[in-house]
Each structure stands twice: as C-alpha cells, then as structure tokens.
C-alpha cells in the first residue's frame, strides 16, 4: 500500500509525524505505514471539523439534502463493495467470505437506514405544565458539534459507520481515529463521502495509535466522543473527560453467554453456537464465548460444536473458501494463548484446539475449554480469540445465575423451541441484546450497547441520537 496520510478538511494532509508499520495479519508482513499523529494533527482535524460545522453549507443544509447525501454515500460504497471487502480482509485478516457478505453490506444498510432519519429528527411543541396558555413552549434538537469517533480493529468499517451515519444524519461533523492495525477502510470511506458531496471538513480521519486517540479525547473542541474498544481504555477515557464533561458513549468488551435449553433444535443451535464464537476467529465483542448446555446433552453439544469448528477452513483471508482467518497481531496471539494456558493451569479441561496453527501469520485453532469453576479465567475474562468456554448446567435457575455472573453484559443467546421460556429468560438475562435462536444478528433499527462494564449508552436505532443531539427548551410568554 502507498504511504497513508491523514484526511483533513477534504484534502490529503501529509505530516512529518513518525510512521507506524501496518502488517498483514495473515502473513506478518509489512504492507504499509501510517503517521503517528500527535496533538498538532489532531488539532488541525478538529479545527477543520469545527469550521465545517459552522459553515452554512452544512449547518443550514435541508434535512432532505442530507438524506440524499447519505444515500449517495451508500451508493458509492455499494459500487465499491468488492474493493472495500478486499481491503478490509487484507488489513484485518477477516476472511473475504465475511467481509463481502457482512461487513460491506451491513455498512451500506446502516448508511441507508440513517439516510431516513434527517427528515424525522425534530423537537416538539409542548403545553407548559404550570404556566398555562399565556406561554408557548417547544423543544429544538440541535447537533452537539464536532464528534470524535474512536474504533477498534475487529470491525473497522462497520463500527466506523455505526458512528458516522447517525452523527452525519444529526448534522454533526466528525474526526475518526481508526485503530493503527486497520487504518485503510476509514480512509477509503472518507474519500467516498467527499465524492458523494459531503462538504470538506465534515468527515476527517486522523491516523495514529492510542496517543492519537488520547489527543482527540483531550481536545477541548470535541463536543462528544464515541468510543468502541476495550473496557480498560474505556475507563481511561472516562477519567479524561471528567475534566471537561464531554459527552461520551462507550461500547466495550463482553463475555456473552450462549444458553442451549434441553428442547433446542440442535440442528441450528449447535452450528449457531459455533459460528457465534469462531466467525472472525472470535474477535467479536458480542461473540457467544461462554456456552451453557444441559448436563445430559453436554457431550453431544460439544462434539457437535467441535465438528462444526473442524469445517472452518484455515487459510488466506482473500480465498473465498477460508472461514478461519488469523488474529490481528502477534500481541493478540500471545494474549489468547496465554489465557488458554492460564485457564488450563487453573483447572479447565482442554476439549479441543488450544494451539497456534503452524503457518505464517497469527492463526489459533478453534478451541473449547470446559470448566464449572466460575473463578476460572476462562469463565471470567474476555479472550477475543476463537475460544469457547463450556459449562454444563442442571436447571434454569442455575443457568441464569451463571450466565449473569460476569462483569460484562453485552449480549446473550438462548436456543429453545419453547418461546415462553425464551422470553422469560430474555427478561432475566443482564445483557444489552438477547438473541433467541439466532446469533451475530445486529440490526440498524435495534439499540445496541452494554449492561455493566460492557459500556455506556446505546448505538443504532433512534436511541443513538440522544448522544449526537442536544435538546433545547424554548419557553415564551405570549399573553
Ligand atoms: P482498544 O485497545 O481499547 O482500542 C480501541 C481504539 O482506541 C483503537 O483505535 C486504539 O488505538 C484507541 N486507543 C487506545 N488507547 C487509547 C487511549 N488511551 N485513548 C484513546 N484512544 C485509545 O481495543 P482493541 O483491543 O483494539 O479492541 C478490542 C476491544 O474492543 C475488545 O475489548 C472488544 O470487546 C471491544 N469491542 C467492543 C465493541 C462493542 O460494540 N461493544 C465492538 C467491537 C470491539 P490503537 O489501536 O491505534 O492503539
Ligand atoms: Mg492491518
């Protein structure tokens, strides 16, 4: 790849900042480099975004015109689908079987869903409660200003669009900081947005590392921050914004349960449980990483999941037959193998997998650990790798207690034919999303976010606008 540069104010903005190598996780080879942007570059981007926010061309744009821009943006991304899918696979190591059928089509779908919103965002007239008819009152909903978007490397394109699309629909301007491991789709997206007709400075990209993200977090010109990443960094960001009370939403880690009930249709529950944790080598925040199966069917379920995992062809992410790609980096590989090791040392049984795949790149075998010890690291910690931790259960009450015994609460999965029980469990599970007889199925209309340490706030649906709009009350004496 040619050297990558920041994209600020609608132009490619070269800098003298030191460079960071970008690797192909399938081979470990350097494929390009990006600047390690510092405070100066971040400041330029925030200033460009602020200038664009104040420009009548954007600020006073009719909602229907903003709708058309978002649709044109979606059209251009759709036309670029193949190129974008290849780029995302090369950069992130995610098999093209997924980037071409999930990442790019989802990004397009989210842009189109949010294209429908500018024309529906409005305040409301409100009869004053104590002042009576001599007063006229109403609310306005106004974009918060410049928003800082920080995303991780596991779904670089989708997670950027989950933030960008509603922010732009609301009339904000944005500075996007992609992860250093996966910078390319963000840049390509910014160029497509410009081509679609978004005014210069509405969508800026600054490249760099955690320090670059920190500079964005600390910049006084940023009105709101939307962060997706680890719970550790989320806590640091929260501590930073205490100084100026920036608005902030946090989409953080997970350790989501998959509960298979005795009456489940095993023909779909077993492959579903396997896909939930082995797609993208488990590098999915809402992966079903803790499996609960009835004790009597435990062996059958584990054999089934191991069988499905064995069909996940390991290979080059750009080969359409590949279903198991690499982890993102050597550091992630080391971390996942160390956590497997620590879980086994603490008493978990290795049912299958557990080793690095002997080839170039950062591949780990689909792995199943078994433990009934809720203190085992396998039960408690987010691995962010292809590792399922399985636990047998004896009754419903016990499985709910075990499923909820986590610092996280991002998602939960229930497999059963008994829909009454499924909906009862949906109420009892502490999770931002409960999937019943399905998995890996977010929807743009459905709010997404975490209970407990999985985050603050919700993305998607109408709820997300609470973060990108301020509500202003106007109260007038008219009589
Ligand atoms: P991470 O280390 O927290 O990084 C996320 C982003 O924050 C990256 O762009 C990173 O930059 C940047 N960053 C790092 N330190 C920062 C700091 N001090 N201030 C501001 N920004 C900083 O997370 P990750 O390991 O890349 O991603 C995996 C995590 O994301 C997992 O925990 C996963 O569960 C979570 N995740 C959550 C969701 C959700 O929707 N809830 C979705 C996907 C992933 P660099 O990478 O360039 O250092
Ligand atoms: Mg990369």
């Amino acid at each position: 790849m040619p050297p990558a540069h920041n994209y600020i104010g609608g132009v490619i903005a070269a800098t003298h900042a030191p460079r960071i190598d970008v690797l192909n996780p399938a081979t470990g080879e350097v494929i390009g480099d990006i600047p390690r942007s510092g405070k100066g570059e971040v400041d330029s981007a925030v200033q460009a975004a602020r200038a664009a926010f104040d420009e009548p061309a954007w600020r006073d744009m009719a909602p229907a015109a903003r709708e058309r821009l978002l649709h044109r943006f979606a059209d251009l991304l759709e036309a670029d689908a193949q190129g974008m899918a290849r780029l995302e696979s090369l950069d992130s190591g995610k098999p093209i079987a997924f980037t071409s059928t999930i990442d790019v089509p989802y990004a397009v779908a989210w842009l189109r869903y949010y294209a429908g919103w500018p024309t529906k965002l409005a305040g409301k007239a409100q009869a004053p409660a104590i002042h009576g008819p001599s007063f006229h009152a109403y609310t306005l909903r106004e974009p918060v200003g410049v928003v800082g978007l920080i995303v991780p490397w596991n779904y670089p394109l989708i997670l950027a669009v989950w933030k960008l699309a509603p922010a732009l629909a609301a009339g904000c301007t944005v500075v996007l900081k992609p992860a250093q491991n996966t910078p390319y789709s963000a840049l390509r997206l910014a160029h497509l947005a410009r081509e679609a007709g978004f005014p210069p400075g509405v969508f800026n990209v600054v490249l760099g590392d955690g320090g670059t993200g920190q500079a964005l977090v600390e910049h006084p010109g940023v009105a709101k921050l939307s962060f997706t990443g680890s719970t550790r960094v989320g806590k640091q960001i929260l501590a930073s914004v205490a100084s100026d009370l920036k608005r902030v939403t946090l989409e953080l880690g997970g350790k989501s349960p998959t509960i298979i009930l005795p009456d489940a249709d095993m023909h779909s529950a077993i492959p579903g449980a396997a896909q939930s944790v082995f797609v993208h080598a488990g590098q999915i925040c809402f992966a079903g990483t803790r499996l609960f199966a009835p004790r009597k069917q435990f062996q059958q379920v584990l054999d089934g999941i191991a069988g499905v995992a064995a069909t996940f062809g390991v290979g080059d992410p750009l080969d359409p037959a590949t279903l198991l790609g690499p982890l993102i980096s050597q550091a992630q590989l080391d971390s996942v193998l160390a956590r497997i090791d620590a879980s086994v040392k603490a008493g978990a049984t290795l049912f299958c997998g557990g080793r690095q795949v002997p080839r170039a790149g950062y591949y780990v075998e689909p792995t199943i650990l078994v433990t009934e010890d809720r203190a085992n690291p396998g039960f408690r910690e987010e691995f962010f790798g292809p590792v399922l931790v399985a636990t047998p259960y004896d009754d419903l009450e016990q499985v709910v207690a075990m499923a909820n015994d986590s610092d996280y609460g991002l998602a939960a999965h229930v497999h059963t034919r008994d829909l009454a029980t499924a909906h009862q469990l949906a109420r009892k599970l502490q999770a931002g999303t409960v999937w019943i007889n399905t998995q890996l199925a977010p929807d743009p209309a459905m709010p997404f976010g975490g209970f407990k340490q999985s985050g603050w706030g919700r993305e998607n649906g109408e709820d997300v606008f609470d973060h990108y709009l301020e509500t202003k009350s106007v109260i007038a004496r008219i009589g």
Side-chain angles (χ1 to χ4, degrees):
M1 305 284 291
H5 301 291
N6 294 331
Y7 189 76
I8 298 177
V11 294
I12 293 165
T15 134
H16 296 298
R19 311 287 301 179
I20 308 173
D21 284 340
V22 180
L23 308 185
N24 175 353
T27 61
E29 285 162 4
V30 175
I31 52 168
D33 58 62
I34 60 168
R36 187 190 301 272
S37 300
K39 286 187 172 165
E41 289 83 7
V42 168
D43 184 53
S44 303
V46 174
Q47 287 200 31
R50 182 69 217 187
F53 184 77
D54 291 330
E55 264 299 312
W58 179 245
R59 194 188 59 211
D60 300 335
M61 182 179 278
R66 206 170 281 152
E67 173 183 341
R68 276 196 299 279
L69 282 186
L70 281 161
H71 273 303
R72 216 174 294 149
F73 190 7
D75 291 342
L76 290 176
L77 179 55
E78 209 160 33
D80 188 36
Q82 261 188 320
M84 189 63 106
R86 276 186 68 81
L87 188 67
E88 192 80 333
S89 288
L90 178 71
D91 200 10
S92 71
K94 188 181 305 156
I96 199 152
F98 303 131
T99 53
S100 62
T101 57
I102 297 171
D103 298 62
V104 177
Y106 273 33
V108 170
W110 257 254
L111 284 172
R112 293 209 189 285
Y113 171 79
Y114 279 106
W117 272 106
T119 54
K120 280 101 196 160
L121 297 172
K124 59 177 182 180
Q126 174 69 53
I130 61 169
H131 291 307
S134 57
F135 279 73
H136 170 57
Y138 59 95
T139 59
L140 294 171
R141 301 199 80 195
E142 300 175 349
V144 290
V146 176
V147 300
L149 312 179
I150 302 178
V151 295
W153 41 259
N154 65 330
Y155 279 82
L157 173 67
I158 290 186
L159 294 176
V161 169
W162 280 22
K163 299 181 186 312
L164 267 174
L168 298 178
C172 297
T173 57
V174 310
V175 178
L176 169 63
K177 206 301 278 181
Q180 60 188 299
N181 287 322
T182 52
Y184 294 115
S185 54
L187 281 178
R188 192 154 173 148
L189 209 50
H191 284 273
L192 292 177
R194 186 75 190 98
E195 199 183 328
F198 284 93
V202 167
F203 179 178
N204 307 280
V205 179
V206 278
L207 303 171
D209 60 6
T212 312
Q214 184 69 29
L216 191 58
V217 170
E218 288 171 1
H219 197 292
V222 173
K224 186 240 151 43
L225 268 169
S226 178
F227 173 78
T228 298
S230 62
T231 295
R232 182 184 62 82
V233 174
K235 288 177 183 176
Q236 284 174 22
I237 288 179
L238 210 50
S240 296
V241 301
S243 62
D244 63 359
L245 294 181
K246 264 187 194 84
R247 280 94 185 89
V248 57
T249 39
L250 304 171
E251 295 289 351
L252 308 176
K255 190 75 184 175
S256 301
T258 295
I259 302 175
I260 297 185
L261 295 184
D263 72 329
D265 176 359
M266 294 297 175
H267 296 296
S268 61
I270 287 174
Q275 284 158 16
S276 180
V277 66
F278 297 135
V279 163
H280 196 21
Q283 301 169 112
I284 303 182
C285 56
F286 51 68
T289 50
R290 287 184 299 147
L291 175 83
F292 298 98
R295 197 173 294 278
K296 280 193 187 134
Q297 289 146 294
F298 194 64
Q299 189 67 35
Q300 175 207 348
V301 169
L302 292 203
D303 287 342
I305 293 175
V308 176
T311 68
F312 267 56
V314 179
D316 178 358
L318 293 174
D319 178 345
T322 297
L323 292 183
L324 188 80
L327 299 183
I328 190 68
S329 62
Q330 183 70 45
Q332 190 65 17
L333 174 85
D334 294 343
S335 153
V336 169
L337 292 176
R339 287 173 197 273
I340 293 171
D341 197 40
S343 304
V344 171
K345 286 210 170 88
T349 310
L350 187 63
F351 184 83
C352 66
R355 289 167 308 183
Q356 181 174 2
V357 178
R359 56 176 290 150
Y362 315 121
Y363 292 77
V364 171
E365 293 172 344
T367 299
I368 303 179
L369 294 167
V370 177
T371 183
E372 293 193 48
D373 175 9
R374 296 199 215 170
N376 188 283
F379 192 94
R380 305 220 71 84
E381 294 172 12
E382 183 182 51
F383 284 33
F384 232 55
V387 183
L388 181 66
V389 179
T391 306
Y393 70 87
D394 300 301
D395 61 58
L396 264 189
E397 202 179 324
Q398 181 203 20
V399 76
V400 169
M402 288 199 290
N404 286 339
D405 184 6
S406 173
D407 292 337
Y408 297 109
L410 195 56
H413 309 78
V414 177
H415 291 275
T416 177
R417 290 188 173 98
D418 176 352
L419 286 182
T421 304
H423 292 295
Q424 282 163 9
L425 284 187
R427 292 180 183 205
K428 289 180 179 158
L429 290 166
Q430 296 163 358
T433 297
V434 177
W435 277 298
I436 298 172
N437 293 330
T438 186
Q439 58 283 319
L440 307 178
D443 188 280
M446 296 303 292
F448 179 82
F451 281 31
K452 300 189 270 187
Q453 295 191 32
S454 288
W456 275 14
R458 293 290 178 273
E459 299 202 285
N460 300 337
E462 186 176 2
D463 296 43
V464 73
F465 289 112
D466 289 344
H467 311 303
Y468 294 118
L469 296 170
E470 292 282 12
T471 300
K472 181 184 282 176
S473 288
V474 182
I475 305 170
R477 178 167 207 123
I478 56 168

